[in-house]
Structures are given as structure tokens and as C-alpha cells.
Amino acid sequence: MIGMANIPTLSLNDGKEIPQLGFGVFLVEPEETARIVSDALETGYRHIDTATAYGNEKQVGEAIASSGLARDDLFVTTKLWNDMQERPREALEKSLDLLGLDHVDLYLIHWPAPERDVYLPAWEALIGLREEGLATSIGVCNFLPGHLERIIEETKVVPAVNQIELHPQFQQAESVAFANAHDIRIEAWGPLGQGKYPLFEAEPVAAAAAAHGKSPAQAVLRWHLQHGNIIFPKTNHRQRMEENLDVFDFELTDAEMAAIDAMDRGEDGRVGTHPLDGNW
């Protein structure tokens, strides 16, 4: 078993710590979630990333309850869905009930949903929920610099994280630069490109993997870690869970990092929804 001690933590701008490598349950079927999260916890993961929209918070909670792990040893994230941005307290209380928890470690606005245009009051509500202790840290997902500038200017409260699509062919330089300038941690969703392009066959990735006796996936996860990204690769298979955790005994060289950096295709590399279009 790989213990939590092997996973580095990063400091957030609110003074809290977050495990840099976690486990995500996006597109994990509810009927499979409890088993899969239990496997992840047994493997050594202590950071679980879920969301109301995933429909599996209850099963995540079941796995947590049956794990025997102390609450303080776990880092649990969930997210506020677009249609509840006007009722964040109600949404979080429902999530906590499903998770069987009295607080989450990180609560995120899932999308800015600019056509709804209620992300600012939603952010103001999250600040209150943090002050009440229902969420230890608060942040956002898929926010562009303009969205971030607005909520920071209006509330003077900087999100702890911005969870955005980020992988070798889509590196979001502008959003990363803004985050770095404001001490916002980047969480990379789809860190392996969601299998939507031949990432593992790319020469820089394959060469780095071969040089270190690792898989291409491990090489890409290591690239993220060395850039300071928080990642939570999703898999249904225990062997892959273990492989994804086995990325702390090697380091990519500057040349290997630069070669993967050079894979960036800018906006053409995006494989998911553009933040301006996430208005469901």
C-alpha cells in the first residue's frame, strides 16, 4: 500500500494544505463509485474530487464511511452546479448530507455560466459558507481571467484554486499566469487529455517515459506535478490507480519538460467545453 505520506501537499492562499495528487470520480457510474473509491482509499489516495453534477456524492460518502479513515486524514472536494448558483447553501447542505460529512475541504463553483451571470453572488455566498465552517477552502472551476478579476475586485477574496482543463496540448498559459500572479493554485482536469488525442504516442511523452522506465501516463502526470499542478486522474482499475500514484521516484529533466511544453496547441488543443459555453 502506498501511504499518504508519499503524496506531497501544497499550501493554499488561505493557509490550508491540499494533497497534490488525488482521485477523481467524473463519469464514474454511481453503482460503481463506492467500490472504486474504496479501492482508491485502500491504495493510498486521500484526496477525492467529486461534484453534484457527477451524481455520485452519496456513493463517495459510503466509501468514506466504510474506510475507517479519520476525517482529518481525508481531503474531499465537491462543486456547486450551475442551476444552484442562486442557492449555494441549499446545494452544499444537500451535498454534505449525501456525503455524510459536516464539511467539505474544498467547495468550488463548477462553471462561471456567464449567460446566467450569477457567479458573483454565488462567490459571495461561498465566502459565507467558508466563514461558517461548512467548507474549509473555496474556489472555482473553469473561470477565465476576466471572471476571476470580477469576483476578486468585488469581494477582495481570492479563490484558493481554479480547476481548469489542462494537459500537454492545451496548457492555458494566460490562465496559469493569472493564477500564479494571484497565488491561486491550478487544478488540472483532464490531465491526460481524456483519451481524446494520441497523447501517449507523442514523441516527447514516449521518450520521457522510456528514459525513466515509466509509462507514458506516468510521464505526463510527472510533468503536471513538476509544474505545480494539482491532479486527480480518474480510473476504474486498481492497477492503474497504483500506477498513477507511482510518480514520486523520478523527475523529468529540464529538456524533457521543455519538449512536452512545446506540445501546446493553444485554443486548438482544447478537448472539453469552453467556459463561455458552459451555461447548462
Side-chain angles (χ1 to χ4, degrees):
M1 177 183 293
I2 301 173
M4 175 62 193
N6 296 84
I7 302 174
T9 60
L10 299 176
S11 297
L12 299 175
N13 61 24
D14 58 9
K16 307 302 181 183
E17 298 283 319
I18 186 171
Q20 192 179 5
L21 178 62
F23 187 80
V25 294
F26 174 61
L27 295 182
V28 176
E29 295 294 335
E31 60 268 22
E32 296 290 319
T33 300
R35 174 187 62 80
I36 289 168
V37 174
S38 292
D39 281 350
L41 294 173
E42 289 175 10
T43 302
Y45 292 87
R46 295 293 180 267
H47 171 182
I48 306 297
D49 181 276
T50 185
T52 295
Y54 300 170
N56 53 24
E57 289 171 308
K58 182 176 185 290
Q59 293 77 18
V60 169
E62 291 170 357
I64 290 171
S66 64
S67 71
L69 294 167
R71 177 65 183 91
D72 287 348
D73 291 335
L74 294 170
F75 192 101
V76 181
T77 297
T78 195
K79 308 180 190 80
L80 173 67
W81 188 239
N82 298 352
D83 63 3
M84 293 295 285
Q85 284 191 15
E86 294 176 273
R87 305 190 301 282
R89 168 182 286 280
E90 180 184 339
L92 180 53
E93 288 178 344
K94 182 177 180 181
S95 289
L96 292 174
D97 183 57
L98 290 169
L99 289 163
L101 302 175
D102 62 5
H103 72 282
V104 288
D105 299 278
L106 181 60
Y107 195 45
L108 305 175
I109 298 176
H110 208 149
W111 292 88
E115 290 180 10
R116 293 176 179 266
D117 195 26
V118 288
Y119 65 85
L120 174 57
W123 180 244
E124 293 170 336
L126 261 64
I127 295 168
L129 295 171
R130 182 183 67 177
E131 291 171 350
E132 292 181 49
L134 297 180
T136 303
S137 298
I138 53 175
V140 297
C141 305
N142 304 300
F143 273 44
L144 299 173
H147 304 130
L148 291 165
E149 286 176 342
R150 183 181 178 199
I151 64 172
I152 294 169
E153 181 178 335
E154 292 288 337
T155 68
K156 312 306 179 190
V157 176
V158 180
V161 306
N162 187 16
Q163 184 180 125
I164 58 175
E165 178 187 345
L166 199 156
H167 42 84
Q169 80 167 22
F170 187 55
Q171 296 175 34
Q172 299 240 48
E174 184 181 0
S175 288
V176 171
F178 185 96
N180 290 341
H182 293 80
D183 195 22
I184 300 169
R185 291 290 185 185
I186 291 291
E187 292 190 334
W189 65 256
L192 301 176
Q194 297 186 329
K196 294 180 178 178
Y197 63 99
L199 172 61
F200 298 158
E201 298 166 24
E203 197 278 334
V205 171
H212 296 278
K214 294 289 185 175
S215 71
Q218 288 172 315
V220 174
L221 295 178
R222 185 68 211 179
W223 172 82
H224 279 285
L225 294 171
Q226 287 178 223
H227 272 306
N229 299 334
I230 299 161
I231 49 174
F232 27 88
K234 170 251 175 184
T235 178
N236 294 350
H237 305 289
R238 188 160 181 149
Q239 182 178 350
R240 189 64 54 79
M241 293 177 194
E242 294 171 354
E243 177 185 304
N244 290 343
L245 271 187
D246 187 20
V247 290
F248 300 108
D249 61 348
F250 74 106
E251 188 168 316
L252 299 182
T253 66
D254 290 346
E256 289 164 344
M257 291 289 291
I260 298 175
D261 290 347
M263 292 175 60
D264 189 23
R265 295 177 53 206
E267 192 62 35
D268 289 342
R270 186 189 294 276
V271 300
T273 299
H274 192 287
L276 297 182
D277 299 328
N279 297 293
W280 308 279

